[in-house]
Amino acid sequence: MTSKSLPCTHFDTPEGRWTLASEFTTEDAANQFLPHIGRDSGADDLCLGASGTETQPVSNGSSGMKFSAASSAMASGGLMFADTSPQVSSRATSAVTASIPKSNLHMLANRPTQVSIFRVAETTAIPPAGDAGVEGVSNSSPLGSGGRGHGFRQGRSYLSKAVLGSSSGALQNLTGTPVVGTASSQSNGASVHSKGIVTKSTSTFVSRIVTNENLARWIVGDNQHSTYLMFNAPRCMAWVGLQPECSGETLARFDLVSNTPLCHDINQSTRGENRLDMVMGFVHGNIIWYDPISGKYARLNKNSGYTPAIVCVRWIPGSGSLFMVGTDDGCVMIMDRTKEDFCVPALAHSNRRLTMDAFEVAGSLKPKCNPVAFWKLGGRQVTCIAFSPDGQRVAIGSEDGGLRIVDYLNEILEDVYLSYFGGFTCCAWSEDGKYVVAGGKDDLITVWSFYDQTIVARCQGHESWVRAIAFDPVGHEDESTYRFMSVADDAKLLVWDFSLAALHRPRAPLHRVEDVHLKGYDDGPSDIVHPRLPRAAVAVLQPLVAVAIHDSPICSLQFSQDLLVTACRRGIIKVWKRPATFDLSSFI
């Protein structure tokens, strides 16, 4: 066994030195509120290993939570819960895992922490008068028009905006010791707890909602200088506010009875001082909409009978109510948060053999029920969804090794790009929409030109599966150069600069390499499935920077204008501050 490396506190890039501003664990942040997770009287919380077997819990620092050695390494995986009772019977353990398919047990144990970073917007959407069905969409928007029951194919929505009022100095007047510090400082000292307002729930799915008494002072104050994080902790979602010096506190916690979200997303179009729309997906196919400011939530597909795991979710750009989810069985749904009824759609050719260009659209959808659109892409898990900057197209990655570009307004599959081998795990668009990049189980990041419909380069540098990719919103000083970062299971962060002029042209002729046959798929010629090219025929890009910033596989990477947030599978979140010498005035 190798010795534990020293903690990384900074890393250097061409623009300067990024420094570690804050570090904390998801469990510690969530448990700044009383009561702690798993402290319900009479409730026996299970502590399960990756195989679903009982494990012996041990003490874990001063947080008051108990974790086994297995669950400590994957505390945010959805299957690992806080354990207040060491005596957990094997019968009780079996009862919980019996209803979970074996394929989903692995998904739960390896579904790590996901983090969203955002700021309260300068403007907020105002729900139009007389249109209560679709909130945040103006009456002139084609989104609220007729069509086939939802109208999302007719065009993008245009939101009304109003300048928020601000109360200067509210954040500066916050008192008390910051509750989000470094993980080491929290484990060595006594825990500091914020006073939480507890709202009990009668639902069998949601346990309670805990809100910080200082929440109003955070969101109504000088919020332009504050950053917010949303992430999944064991059996809950937590909302943390960070002040400019990266000190802050936990603002809200959404406690669940026996589930941990696999994915979530924040609606960037409607976020404001009085509204924050978030959707969460779960392993049994459950979908929940939640607003932590108002404390309201809705379960959108209760008792629907459709149970494939919700693996990824994204709000449709510009929409106040529509979002897209990808499932474990290779389907994509567009959902409306204002509709709680769910009707399982029927596919006309559900039994036919699949091809890489398969794209079946379900018809006869009920206008008053979810989903408002339903597509069948293949038989493998949909792993990632990313919308183009103009909001007209969406890139969808899958375990079958296909990255599909879909014109979702017209429900047309335009292109299918293939990985070198293995499935895709993440994807992202450049800010101008010219390029789309994707990483996966081949340890590579591949760059495609959207307009030229061809592969441009493969980025080689990671030594394990790539988990997240993000373009730097500040960009590069050279307008023809794109800068993005990536993280992977090798616990490293890599910085890439991509420019067509700097690429070394391959000498090998461009010819099609023999495609790997996928079980259950029919191979054949197609106009939209682009060939998989050999390594010698594609330019190779090397990283500018490669640094190990965590001690375990990194699973999340998020940018803001001045911060970078990473999270690892052990549930440790690190906040990195952009080099101070960099001028941000023109980007804020």
Side-chain angles (χ1 to χ4, degrees):
M1 176 178 290
T2 59
S3 59
K4 185 177 180 180
S5 61
L6 294 175
C8 177
T9 59
H10 64 270
F11 62 91
D12 295 319
T13 66
E15 67 178 277
R17 172 164 292 185
W18 291 72
T19 57
L20 180 62
S22 182
E23 177 183 0
F24 55 93
T25 67
T26 57
E27 307 92 69
D28 288 341
N31 279 296
Q32 296 304 326
F33 283 140
L34 296 176
H36 282 171
I37 302 173
R39 295 303 177 110
D40 284 333
S41 58
D44 290 332
D45 301 325
L46 301 180
C47 186
L48 305 176
S51 62
T53 58
E54 180 182 348
T55 57
Q56 183 65 30
V58 295
S59 176
N60 183 33
S62 61
S63 63
M65 314 247 327
K66 295 179 179 179
F67 289 94
S68 68
S71 65
S72 178
M74 292 179 286
S76 302
L79 193 59
M80 313 305 173
F81 307 145
D83 188 359
T84 58
S85 175
Q87 304 301 324
V88 181
S89 66
S90 299
R91 181 177 299 178
T93 302
S94 301
V96 172
T97 58
S99 60
I100 303 177
K102 290 184 177 180
S103 60
N104 287 352
L105 280 174
H106 175 76
M107 184 193 310
L108 279 170
N110 290 278
R111 202 68 187 177
T113 306
Q114 289 192 340
V115 183
S116 295
I117 182 171
F118 59 96
R119 285 182 173 177
V120 174
E122 297 181 10
T123 56
T124 184
I126 299 178
D131 187 1
V134 183
E135 297 183 14
V137 181
S138 65
N139 291 328
S140 61
S141 168
L143 191 65
S145 60
R148 292 170 51 186
H150 49 84
F152 79 91
R153 301 174 186 83
Q154 283 71 42
R156 299 178 63 196
S157 61
Y158 297 89
L159 304 178
S160 302
K161 298 182 178 181
V163 177
L164 292 177
S166 64
S167 175
S168 116
L171 280 181
Q172 286 75 11
N173 293 332
L174 287 176
T175 58
T177 305
V179 299
V180 180
T182 63
S184 58
S185 64
Q186 287 189 2
S187 61
N188 295 333
S191 297
V192 179
H193 302 290
S194 300
K195 183 178 180 180
I197 302 172
V198 180
T199 303
K200 287 287 187 177
S201 173
T202 58
S203 169
T204 58
F205 198 85
V206 179
S207 172
R208 61 185 168 235
I209 298 174
V210 189
T211 306
N212 193 319
E213 62 177 353
N214 293 325
L215 176 60
R217 298 166 67 183
W218 273 82
I219 61 177
V220 179
D222 189 11
N223 48 43
Q224 299 304 309
H225 301 289
S226 298
T227 303
Y228 300 95
L229 305 180
M230 192 80 71
F231 52 85
N232 58 315
R235 294 195 313 162
C236 78
M237 286 294 299
W239 181 21
V240 168
L242 298 177
Q243 294 186 16
E245 67 276 11
C246 290
S247 65
E249 57 186 318
T250 306
L251 302 180
R253 198 181 74 205
F254 187 73
D255 291 356
L256 299 149
V257 175
S258 58
N259 296 273
T260 295
L262 295 181
C263 55
H264 73 275
D265 193 35
I266 304 294
N267 193 333
Q268 303 293 335
S269 301
T270 61
R271 58 190 170 91
E273 65 174 3
N274 57 2
R275 181 175 174 183
L276 184 62
D277 293 319
M278 180 178 68
V279 287
M280 297 172 278
F282 297 83
V283 71
H284 282 299
N286 297 287
I287 301 173
I288 284 185
W289 164 82
Y290 170 50
D291 182 351
I293 296 179
S294 66
K296 297 179 180 180
Y297 69 91
R299 193 171 166 189
L300 302 184
N301 56 344
K302 184 177 180 180
N303 302 323
S304 66
Y306 187 74
T307 59
I310 306 299
V311 182
C312 51
V313 58
R314 286 291 181 269
W315 287 94
I316 292 180
S319 173
S321 63
L322 299 179
F323 59 92
M324 185 179 292
V325 300
T327 67
D328 187 45
D329 62 347
C331 295
V332 172
M333 299 184 291
I334 294 181
M335 305 282 291
D336 189 336
R337 77 161 188 86
T338 64
K339 301 176 181 179
E340 294 190 16
D341 294 332
F342 189 97
C343 299
V344 180
L347 294 171
H349 306 285
S350 58
N351 295 325
R352 72 179 183 182
R353 289 186 64 81
L354 299 174
T355 57
M356 290 301 295
D357 59 352
F359 185 78
E360 184 173 359
V361 180
S364 303
L365 299 176
K366 297 183 179 181
K368 295 184 179 180
C369 298
N370 275 318
V372 298
F374 187 90
W375 311 330
K376 180 69 174 178
L377 302 182
R380 303 289 183 87
Q381 180 184 109
V382 175
T383 56
C384 54
I385 295 173
F387 285 93
S388 61
D390 62 3
Q392 300 296 313
R393 291 170 176 83
V394 60
I396 303 174
S398 174
E399 278 280 359
D400 62 10
L403 181 71
R404 295 165 172 85
I405 308 298
V406 179
D407 177 356
Y408 74 92
L409 296 174
N410 299 300
E411 297 183 295
I412 298 175
L413 177 64
E414 295 184 336
D415 297 286
V416 180
Y417 300 106
L418 304 179
S419 66
Y420 187 70
F421 67 85
F424 284 113
T425 56
C426 54
C427 59
W429 291 80
S430 63
E431 300 247 338
D432 56 7
K434 292 182 179 180
Y435 300 97
V436 58
V437 298
K441 297 182 177 180
D442 53 10
D443 304 349
L444 301 171
I445 298 172
T446 310
V447 182
W448 288 275
S449 172
F450 170 70
Y451 295 109
D452 295 334
Q453 297 179 310
T454 184
I455 185 172
V456 174
R458 290 192 178 109
C459 307
Q460 183 175 331
H462 281 295
E463 299 173 349
S464 188
W465 294 357
V466 182
R467 291 299 182 180
I469 306 171
F471 279 86
D472 190 338
V474 172
H476 194 279
E477 57 185 8
D478 182 0
E479 294 183 356
S480 64
T481 302
Y482 302 84
R483 175 165 294 167
F484 60 93
M485 298 186 186
S486 61
V487 294
D489 284 351
D490 56 9
K492 293 181 180 179
L493 178 140
L494 270 59
V495 181
W496 310 86
D497 273 0
F498 161 70
S499 173
L500 284 179
L503 289 177
H504 296 285
R505 304 301 179 191
R507 296 182 179 179
L510 296 179
H511 63 277
R512 178 169 180 158
V513 69
E514 187 69 21
D515 286 339
V516 178
H517 179 74
L518 295 172
K519 184 179 180 181
Y521 285 75
D522 283 341
D523 293 332
S526 173
D527 294 333
I528 63 175
V529 180
H530 300 276
R532 179 186 289 113
L533 299 179
R535 283 180 179 259
V538 180
V540 176
L541 188 66
Q542 298 293 335
L544 287 177
V545 178
V547 56
I549 59 173
H550 283 265
D551 292 329
S552 59
I554 308 174
C555 49
S556 187
L557 171 71
Q558 292 287 323
F559 266 112
S560 72
Q561 296 293 347
D562 52 353
L563 297 176
L564 173 71
V565 179
T566 59
C568 70
R569 190 167 296 173
R570 292 179 57 196
I572 297 176
I573 297 175
K574 294 186 177 184
V575 181
W576 307 86
K577 184 167 288 189
R578 189 180 291 274
T581 56
F582 202 76
D583 183 17
L584 294 172
S585 59
S586 60
F587 302 98
I588 298 179

